[in-house]
Amino acid sequence: MSVLKYIDKVLKQTAKSSPGQVEFYQAAEEVLHSLKPLLERETKYDEYNILERIVVPERTIIFRVSWVDDNGIIQTNLGYRVQFNSAIGPYKGGLRFHPSVNLGIIKFLGFEQIFKNSLTGLNIGGGKGGSNFDPKGKSENEIMRFCQSFMVELSRYIGERRDVPAGDIGVGGRELGFMFGQYKKLTGTFEGILTGKGLNWGGSLGRTEATGFGSVYFAEHILNKYGDSLKGKTCAVSGSGNVATYTIQKLLDLDALPVTCSDSQGTIYHKSGIDLEALKAVKEIGRKRLTEYVKLCPDAEYIPLSKYPKDGHVCWHIPCDCAFPSATQNELTLTDAKALVKNGCKLVNEGANMPSTPEAIEYLKAHKVLFGPAKAANAGGVATSQLEMSQNASMSNWSFAEVDAKLHSIMKNIFNISYETAKEYGCDGDLLVGANIAGFKKVADSMIDQGSV
Ligand code: GLU
């Protein structure tokens, strides 16, 4: 069977067995198609039915999370944990609490995590979980009760050598704290079963900053390869959560000029540069909307959703040299890619998971825009989670500088392996293909070693 036929056969099976899971299908299609040059050279992956196996999670857990709101009413949400692949280590990946969460979203994130985690060079398998619970507008007590109820069920399936969840959209230090406390109460053990923990109770310095810092380190490596750097570059950043905030901080450190950030209601355009302290005061500390940012920085412009271009995000229509989509999936569309190219953007570096649509990626590629794919560019967060696991296992604490230096070298290795693999397979400069092939090979070869499991 030709390679294309093999890929199409597996994708057809995937579509049939996962109806309606559009994001998962999108992620599977991207990875499988990018493996073509590898599969043409190596027949063993076909012989061992690796593609058929790798698109199916080892285990999918869906559970009810009932909790009592502040009015004494019992509310019910869905909880998920998809343990996708443990060929190279215990399942590892975040928990997302957002109303858009469904099985297809968690499966896409878990699937991406397999290859991302493999690319870090560390021994971590791929998993993801979450809930359609919406933390927005909930009181602290409601969030606590939800997290405790969620952990009652999740605690049956996790463990420091089994499955180690972390944060993602809607899950940060506060939520992880409530979940960790509940796990401890249920099991009577103090174990590193989550990462992103508080610094007083087993967390690692540098974990909070890691995804954003890592994303910027990755972008800098790309630009350096082409004789350029971030210094003096105008950068558009979307989002205003953990990834976006620390992307902005590192861009400022490197003398770049981040001019935008956004939340689900609107975008800030601050031409003289985002004020990091104001952003942190509004979002990290205040947990408020970005409309508050303009009260602190009156020279910044607030662009509400109603002024966004049709089928696009206004962030990508503001002239920039480099774009850092750091909010959520499919937030950078073909319309946006066209605007970026028109305005002379040189680099798109994905801080979020799968933020660019396939059509956008194709257009950017065709117009020679440098592209840092998510699995590589945002791997710094999960890599630093593994550093946290490592410190927990040895009961030690490393300094911020030590963790940051390790993160730096991990991002450099990810860049090098993605770049070199693309070259080896005849796709020079295509980091997406390079990252997917490199991430896949390590996992697939381990699956072959481990037999028909
Ligand atoms: N949610 C993050 C990601 O998408 C971090 C996962 C982790 O630290 O386990 O990679």
Side-chain angles (χ1 to χ4, degrees):
M1 195 186 324
S2 80
V3 164
L4 263 185
K5 274 207 179 121
Y6 176 41
I7 293 171
D8 281 344
K9 183 188 93 180
V10 176
L11 284 173
K12 274 206 187 96
Q13 282 168 4
T14 306
K16 211 170 156 198
S17 60
S18 322
Q21 297 175 9
V22 280
E23 291 84 3
F24 171 56
Y25 187 83
Q26 180 185 335
E29 194 174 32
E30 181 214 281
V31 170
L32 266 49
H33 276 297
S34 68
L35 297 175
K36 196 171 158 269
L38 171 70
L39 302 176
E40 269 162 358
R41 221 178 272 184
E42 305 249 18
T43 54
K44 62 179 174 181
Y45 302 115
D46 186 351
E47 282 154 27
Y48 284 93
N49 280 347
I50 292 295
L51 296 193
E52 289 87 337
R53 286 196 270 159
I54 212 163
V55 294
V56 179
E58 290 175 13
R59 196 169 298 102
T60 301
I61 302 144
I62 305 181
F63 49 94
R64 184 176 72 196
V65 189
S66 291
W67 54 282
V68 181
D69 71 16
D70 287 348
N71 299 317
I73 311 284
I74 301 173
Q75 300 289 344
T76 299
N77 288 97
L78 283 165
Y80 302 88
R81 187 70 184 167
V82 172
Q83 298 180 330
F84 225 118
N85 194 299
S86 63
I88 63 166
Y91 308 107
K92 183 82 199 87
L95 298 169
R96 177 176 291 192
F97 291 171
H98 191 269
S100 66
V101 163
N102 57 40
L103 184 58
I105 296 274
I106 299 298
K107 276 178 70 182
F108 119 64
L109 290 163
F111 187 69
E112 294 279 290
Q113 205 82 42
I114 305 171
F115 309 102
K116 183 198 312 199
N117 294 5
S118 164
L119 268 180
T120 65
L122 305 166
N123 285 104
I124 37 180
K128 201 85 185 191
S131 174
N132 59 352
F133 172 74
D134 187 358
K136 265 194 203 112
K138 303 288 189 302
S139 72
E140 183 127 329
N141 277 331
E142 288 178 322
I143 289 180
M144 183 172 72
R145 287 194 293 272
F146 174 81
C147 289
Q148 291 174 337
S149 181
F150 185 86
M151 185 48 93
V152 168
E153 198 60 36
L154 186 70
S155 63
R156 301 165 196 253
Y157 310 103
I158 61 175
E160 58 186 356
R161 293 293 163 112
R162 190 175 175 194
D163 183 358
V164 186
D168 196 83
I169 293 172
V171 178
R174 174 179 64 173
E175 292 73 20
L176 291 167
F178 294 149
M179 287 192 262
F180 188 77
Q182 183 73 350
Y183 182 89
K184 207 157 46 72
K185 181 169 172 165
L186 288 167
T187 62
T189 56
F190 192 106
E191 287 168 6
I193 45 92
L194 295 172
T195 59
K197 297 186 290 298
L199 294 178
N200 292 328
W201 41 279
S204 172
L205 285 164
R207 175 62 189 90
T208 307
E209 296 82 355
T211 314
F213 280 20
S215 163
V216 176
Y217 295 152
F218 193 81
E220 183 75 341
H221 283 304
I222 303 181
L223 290 171
N224 286 173
K225 191 82 195 171
Y226 295 91
D228 206 346
S229 78
L230 281 163
K231 195 173 173 169
K233 297 281 185 298
T234 298
C235 300
V237 181
S238 64
S240 51
N242 169 271
V243 182
T245 302
Y246 292 95
T247 294
I248 288 170
Q249 180 164 329
K250 188 47 77 180
L251 286 171
L252 291 166
D253 279 357
L254 296 184
D255 293 325
L257 188 72
V259 293
T260 65
C261 61
S262 64
D263 63 17
S264 59
Q265 301 303 305
T267 290
I268 295 289
Y269 177 32
H270 200 165
K271 209 172 175 180
S272 59
I274 295 291
D275 181 326
L276 186 67
E277 293 321 309
L279 175 63
K280 285 189 177 176
V282 172
K283 299 300 293 189
E284 231 178 32
I285 304 163
R287 297 179 186 276
K288 296 209 176 89
R289 294 233 169 255
L290 280 176
T291 36
E292 298 295 312
Y293 179 95
V294 274
K295 292 186 188 155
L296 299 175
C297 305
D299 60 323
E301 188 187 340
Y302 180 78
I303 310 168
L305 277 185
S306 57
K307 300 240 171 76
Y308 280 25
K310 199 175 162 279
D311 304 323
H313 192 310
V314 77
C315 241
W316 319 126
H317 296 250
I318 291 165
C320 69
D321 301 310
C322 304
F324 290 82
S326 310
T328 195
Q329 66 271 2
N330 293 328
E331 56 163 315
L332 196 159
T333 63
L334 178 61
T335 308
D336 300 326
K338 286 181 177 166
L340 286 168
V341 168
K342 193 168 141 249
N343 288 327
C345 175
K346 293 178 180 60
L347 165 72
V348 173
N349 196 65
E350 298 188 316
N353 289 311
M354 204 170 76
S356 316
T357 64
E359 301 75 27
I361 297 177
E362 206 173 304
Y363 190 86
L364 295 168
K365 249 190 206 174
H367 289 80
K368 307 266 177 282
V369 177
L370 298 171
F371 188 72
K375 291 182 203 76
N378 76 34
V382 75
T384 308
S385 276
Q386 198 278 351
L387 302 181
E388 183 174 326
M389 289 163 71
S390 193
Q391 291 169 78
N392 292 165
S394 58
M395 292 192 136
S396 54
N397 294 302
W398 304 341
S399 67
F400 183 89
E402 217 173 330
V403 174
D404 193 43
K406 285 188 202 294
L407 169 63
H408 206 275
S409 98
I410 290 169
M411 297 316 294
K412 188 175 177 187
N413 291 340
I414 296 176
F415 174 75
N416 287 339
I417 192 174
S418 305
Y419 187 85
E420 292 306 327
T421 306
K423 202 161 159 190
E424 188 185 335
Y425 287 91
C427 303
D428 247 18
D430 191 334
L431 296 175
L432 187 144
V433 169
N436 284 351
I437 292 182
F440 171 84
K441 262 174 88 171
K442 186 175 159 189
V443 175
D445 290 347
S446 305
M447 288 170 74
I448 292 175
D449 292 345
Q450 291 168 24
S452 60
V453 289

